[in-house]
Amino acid sequence: MEISQRRNANRIRFTFGEASLQYQQQDGSGSRSFSVDYVDISRDRQTLVERNDWLRNVGLLWLAIGAVMTAINWIGGNWGMPNFWIFIGAGCYAFYHFRSTPFTILPTPKATCW
């Protein structure tokens, strides 16, 4: 039996054999694969939460640019709305914060499966 999963840049494939599990994982940094016997898979579970760091970085950058431009406008006497970059940056940062991918990690003697 084979199960394939894909989420964002992560591709994971589990192939269940008679006595062992064949694991293949590929992401933006590379790929790995190994085979492990079922009895060697630990019952301990860990959780990994992955987020898009690019959205955090660009959101914070646009928030900073918007804050500086708004401060310059307010110092110049223009008391209008805050700069639109603040709203774009806040949207990106909110999307980073609320959009996450949780993984359950299974430790094995060869490597971790997630």
Side-chain angles (χ1 to χ4, degrees), residues 43-85:
R43 293 195 181 268
D44 293 335
R45 303 291 186 259
Q46 301 169 358
T47 301
L48 169 71
V49 177
E50 183 179 88
R51 290 191 169 104
N52 188 340
D53 292 337
W54 182 86
L55 281 174
R56 179 199 61 206
N57 295 342
V58 78
L60 290 175
L61 175 67
W62 286 343
L63 278 169
I65 289 171
V68 168
M69 292 179 74
T70 300
I72 290 171
N73 284 340
W74 287 356
I75 289 171
N78 184 2
W79 293 96
M81 287 282 293
N83 193 284
F84 71 94
W85 289 113

Side-chain angles (χ1 to χ4, degrees), residues 38-46 104-108:
Y38 293 126
V39 295
D40 293 334
I41 297 174
S42 175
R43 293 195 181 268
D44 293 335
R45 303 291 186 259
Q46 301 169 358
T104 300
I105 299 174
L106 305 171
T108 68

